[in-house]
Amino acid sequence: MYWTLELASYLSDAPWPAEKDELIDYAIRTGAPLEVVENLQAIEDEGEMYDSIEEIWPDYPTDDDYLWNEDEY
């Protein structure tokens, strides 16, 4: 299983919180690449709810990861 920013972006508008099966259904309905569906299927799941992409891909960049000061712009 691997994630890239491009693949993760297909789940940015997903209906969070969601279960694994709901995310797979969302990815298929929105026409996400097969890699996104395969990555979701590879998740070891026990029926838990995911609140955001960060719970699926912990390395997903957040606003805190960017090194600029928004007050300067």
Side-chain angles (χ1 to χ4, degrees):
M1 176 171 70
Y2 69 95
W3 287 99
T4 64
L5 284 176
E6 181 182 1
L7 294 177
S9 70
Y10 287 96
L11 296 178
S12 63
D13 293 330
W16 304 103
E19 293 180 350
K20 173 183 165 181
D21 292 336
E22 294 171 330
L23 292 172
I24 291 171
D25 182 58
Y26 175 81
I28 292 170
R29 285 186 292 115
T30 58
L34 184 59
E35 290 89 355
V36 175
V37 176
E38 290 173 347
N39 286 347
L40 291 170
Q41 290 173 339
I43 295 172
E44 293 180 12
D45 181 39
E46 297 175 6
E48 60 189 85
M49 296 289 282
Y50 298 99
D51 292 323
S52 67
I53 186 68
E54 288 89 3
E55 291 186 13
I56 294 172
W57 183 34
D59 293 332
Y60 184 77
T62 62
D63 290 338
D64 296 336
D65 294 332
Y66 296 103
L67 303 175
W68 71 77
N69 186 353
E70 292 180 3
D71 296 334
E72 292 180 6
Y73 298 101

